[in-house]
Amino acid sequence: QKEVEQDPGPLSVPEGAIVSLNCTYSNSAFQYFMWYRQYSRKGPELLMYTYSSGNKEDGRFTAQVDKSSKYISLFIRDSQPSDSATYLCAVYGNNRLAFGKGNQVVVIP
Amino acid sequence: EAGVAQSPRYKIIEKRQSVAFWCNPISGHATLYWYQQILGQGPKLLIQFQNNGVVDDSQLPKDRFSAERLKGVDSTLKIQPAKLEDSAVYLCASSLTADEQYFGPGTRLTVT
């Protein structure tokens, strides 16, 4: 069983739509949860970071964590063409960061 | 604040050749990481340094990959000899705290 499962299917949405991404993880030792954004031919950049169950908002972005079901989500409201990128979920624990495969998101103007 | 620097950005080599990548972390970051990102996959940790000591190299293919971090700052990652399956983006990251890592732009390696 992989440590982090993220359905890597691409996602195309019209501008203004809500984007919903999710991951599951397998090990309760993971205590910190992140979403990274990776533009084409760039390195990942930290987008959202949380360590507790519940929601965390930052502008148009909301990260949601449910530790009881080991499920993490990212929502992007009012999506913009500049949000077109690959979004990677990541979990941290035992001095290690484990990534999902990433979702390529395309926001169509 | 300057970010993580990597060079070269792109490299094309033939199988069985050797290649080296260089990384300069963010100033003051004691921890440095090398990741391999194969197309369509998330980054996979190859090696983690704390200052100039190795913390984790459990996923580094040591028969062909080597890495060093002299003087606890810059680092180099070497592959010798390269195989076709080594084609990937090699990402360097650095951090003050292990949970918040900052990535460089990566080196895209193509092995033909």
Side-chain angles (χ1 to χ4, degrees):
Chain A
Q1 183 182 18
K2 286 190 180 294
E3 291 180 309
V4 185
E5 296 276 3
Q6 181 177 9
D7 183 352
L11 190 64
S12 288
V13 299
E15 183 175 354
I18 294 175
V19 175
S20 174
L21 306 171
N22 56 74
C23 291
T24 57
Y25 62 97
S26 58
N27 192 334
S28 297
F30 293 122
Q31 294 295 312
Y32 301 90
F33 311 96
M34 297 93 166
W35 285 93
Y36 281 80
R37 178 173 61 194
Q38 187 173 23
Y39 290 114
S40 180
R41 301 189 184 275
K42 301 284 187 183
E45 59 176 327
L46 184 61
L47 183 64
M48 296 287 287
Y49 174 102
T50 185
Y51 56 86
S52 59
S53 282
N55 293 351
K56 180 177 181 179
E57 284 193 22
D58 185 359
R60 297 183 294 109
F61 298 88
T62 299
Q64 191 173 79
V65 175
D66 182 347
K67 287 188 176 181
S68 63
S69 58
K70 299 186 181 68
Y71 194 86
I72 58 179
S73 302
L74 178 71
F75 301 96
I76 308 173
R77 292 185 300 279
D78 187 25
S79 57
Q80 303 294 308
S82 58
D83 296 327
S84 297
T86 295
Y87 291 82
L88 298 153
C89 63
V91 294
Y92 178 82
N94 292 334
N95 201 35
R96 214 158 44 78
L97 188 62
F99 285 89
K101 288 185 175 183
N103 285 113
Q104 184 178 10
V105 173
V106 177
V107 181
I108 302 165
Chain B
E1 179 184 76
V4 176
Q6 290 187 249
S7 67
R9 291 297 314 277
Y10 305 92
K11 191 73 176 180
I12 301 173
I13 61 172
E14 295 181 352
K15 60 184 179 183
R16 291 187 290 274
Q17 286 187 324
S18 63
V19 65
F21 313 127
W22 173 83
C23 173
N24 180 243
I26 293 172
S27 177
H29 282 193
T31 311
L32 184 147
Y33 313 79
W34 284 101
Y35 288 86
Q36 180 192 59
Q37 186 175 24
I38 292 172
L39 186 65
Q41 305 282 325
K44 183 185 86 170
L45 180 68
L46 293 175
I47 190 167
Q48 175 183 345
F49 291 95
Q50 179 75 21
N51 294 308
N52 59 351
V54 176
V55 174
D56 183 358
D57 63 356
S58 58
Q59 298 193 85
L60 186 74
K62 298 180 185 67
D63 58 335
R64 298 184 300 107
F65 286 64
S66 64
E68 61 181 7
R69 190 182 185 196
L70 299 176
K71 300 181 182 178
V73 182
D74 293 3
S75 178
T76 56
L77 176 70
K78 298 179 182 178
I79 307 175
Q80 182 179 14
K83 293 185 175 181
L84 295 176
E85 58 260 38
D86 298 332
S87 294
V89 176
Y90 291 85
L91 295 162
C92 179
S94 70
S95 68
L96 273 175
T97 58
D99 52 338
E100 290 195 47
Q101 299 180 20
Y102 296 85
F103 286 82
T107 295
R108 185 175 297 271
L109 175 67
T110 302
V111 182
T112 63

